[in-house]
Amino acid sequence: MSRTMKAAVFEGNGVFGVKEVPVPAPAVKEVLVKIEAGSICGSDLHVLSVPPGQYAKPGTVLGHEFLGRIEELGSEVSTVKKGDRVIIEPIVPCGMCDACRRNLTNLCENPSILGQTVDGGFAEYCVAPEEYLHPVAEEIPAKIAALAEPIACVMHGMMELNPQPYERVVLYGAGAIGLIFYNMLKSYGVRHLAVCETMDSRIEDAKRCGVDFIINPMQEDVGAVLKERWGGGPDVGIDAVGAGAVFEQLVGLMNKGGRILIFGQNNTQTSTVYPSQINTKQLKIFGTMAVYHSIPAAIEMMNGLEDQLAKIVTHELPLDQFEDGIRLLREKKALKVVIYP
Ligand SMILES: [Zn+2]
Ligand SMILES: [Zn+2]
């Protein structure tokens, strides 16, 4: 008789729940991971909304931001061993599509995505391919290590943008991603850093996380505030919101030679910009998606930032209360929710 476990399963059309499912068995090049913790992502909310903002296959166990301990090895696994504590990289590219062949594996047209197209981490166990496991030190608390994937997405953006300590940076959005960016920018040594946020609860979260320069673009003229404080505009602008108005504002605000990173994603948004501002100011515009060889960097960056990153996790719940975690995030009462099976 096969063993069963608890898992948060997506049933389709916004329906989901925690139920008993069989414990999976690893294929030859896979491992069975006993899950320690997972965190709920904005994309989980997109999957669970009606109509869905992101696709997931009905019947799939949710969760793509998680870590655990290897409990069983497939017969051909050679680089990890039982008992290893690992973070699981959730997007497994096909290796054969046009994007993969051009080394843009993060943009694979036909990926397996843990938690969306194959079973993910809001469960007691999960199987994962050997080559998508990343060791993580025992000293890193589970609730921090559970953030490895979003931190790695942010690090992908940081690696493209390459902000320097002497540059002025304006960051739009003080949600979980915005506050991860804030911590990474601070560790890069950025001294002049402004955070723009319109939502009261998030302004409070930003203050709680130590942000000392917050501008509410609904109430203040961002350009005027920056000019008064810094004597000029930003060299680097980051959109961690995904709103068309943010891109519009950034193009107008940027210093000559400035760089903009579009990170937040919302497929319904449009923007009206003056293209001439892009060439007359010689702006560089970057877009980054998902994790791109950035999980080791994320794991490295966690070291020494545990206390700061811990403030982003506002709720820790058992798997049985997964639905409460989703509700808290939908109602914007939580910033980041970590789930323990
Ligand atoms: Zn995520
Ligand atoms: Zn591919």
Side-chain angles (χ1 to χ4, degrees):
M1 217 181 77
S2 68
R3 286 192 293 163
T4 64
M5 62 173 188
K6 274 185 200 162
V9 179
F10 174 61
E11 308 282 10
N13 204 33
V15 180
F16 65 99
V18 175
K19 62 180 202 177
E20 288 287 328
V21 300
V23 174
V28 289
K29 288 185 189 303
E30 288 180 341
V31 301
L32 179 71
V33 177
K34 186 175 202 302
I35 291 157
E36 200 179 329
S39 70
I40 305 179
C41 176
S43 60
D44 296 319
L45 301 185
H46 291 315
V47 162
L48 295 174
S49 46
V50 182
Q54 266 187 45
Y55 173 78
K57 199 170 83 184
T60 305
V61 176
L62 293 158
H64 63 271
E65 302 178 355
F66 61 103
L67 78 152
R69 206 171 285 284
I70 297 177
E71 192 161 291
E72 204 181 310
L73 305 175
S75 58
E76 288 176 20
V77 171
S78 60
T79 60
V80 288
K81 57 185 193 307
K82 266 190 197 175
D84 284 358
R85 192 185 195 218
V86 289
I87 281 153
I88 296 87
E89 187 164 346
I91 301 183
V92 180
C94 76
M96 291 184 291
C97 71
D98 184 56
C100 282
R101 286 178 194 276
R102 290 191 288 129
N103 202 26
L104 295 167
T105 45
N106 58 320
L107 306 180
C108 174
E109 288 148 32
N110 197 17
S112 293
I113 305 175
L114 274 72
Q116 292 187 15
T117 62
V118 293
D119 290 339
F122 292 133
E124 292 175 72
Y125 295 92
C126 175
V127 291
E130 176 183 14
E131 67 264 47
Y132 287 88
L133 304 173
H134 300 267
V136 59
E138 300 290 337
E139 297 76 52
I140 304 285
K143 73 170 178 181
I144 307 301
L147 305 180
E149 193 266 353
I151 296 173
C153 293
V154 166
M155 284 307 296
H156 176 200
M158 292 287 289
M159 288 148 103
E160 284 291 321
L161 205 53
N162 200 20
Q164 301 297 311
Y166 52 83
E167 291 183 305
R168 297 167 180 155
V169 180
V170 62
L171 166 65
Y172 277 74
I177 289 290
L179 293 171
I180 291 172
F181 261 115
Y182 178 81
N183 280 291
M184 298 303 128
L185 289 160
K186 280 285 182 188
S187 329
Y188 268 50
V190 170
R191 296 171 182 183
H192 296 297
L193 175 52
V195 174
C196 294
E197 176 58 60
T198 58
M199 209 185 298
D200 288 340
S201 64
R202 295 210 161 150
I203 290 173
E204 288 312 308
D205 284 325
K207 286 180 184 162
R208 192 173 49 72
C209 291
V211 181
D212 54 9
F213 185 13
I214 306 170
I215 306 170
N216 183 341
M218 302 283 261
Q219 293 169 2
E220 294 170 285
D221 175 341
V222 180
V225 175
L226 294 181
K227 193 160 189 352
E228 196 190 318
R229 179 88 157 238
W230 291 345
D235 305 302
V236 172
I238 300 170
D239 171 12
V241 178
V246 169
F247 181 50
E248 225 166 279
Q249 279 208 4
L250 280 173
V251 168
L253 281 175
M254 298 309 294
N255 277 343
K256 287 176 180 167
R259 313 191 293 291
I260 297 175
L261 173 68
I262 303 296
F263 185 95
Q265 197 197 340
N266 183 333
N267 298 339
T268 66
Q269 293 289 304
T270 59
S271 196
T272 307
V273 298
Y274 293 95
S276 65
Q277 291 192 313
I278 296 173
N279 61 338
T280 56
K281 292 206 266 186
Q282 281 190 192
L283 301 182
K284 292 187 180 69
I285 296 164
F286 299 86
T288 60
M289 262 298 288
V291 169
Y292 188 67
H293 306 296
S294 49
I295 289 194
I299 293 173
E300 184 56 41
M301 293 304 283
M302 288 173 179
N303 283 301
L305 282 181
E306 293 91 340
D307 293 346
Q308 283 302 309
L309 294 168
K311 292 178 186 166
I312 297 172
V313 178
T314 51
H315 296 76
E316 295 174 87
L317 301 172
L319 181 59
D320 283 328
Q321 289 178 39
F322 178 74
E323 291 184 44
D324 295 329
I326 295 291
R327 183 179 44 77
L328 286 162
L329 286 163
R330 278 183 175 154
E331 292 171 358
K332 312 262 185 226
K333 288 179 180 155
L335 198 52
K336 197 72 175 162
V337 178
V338 169
I339 300 287
Y340 299 94

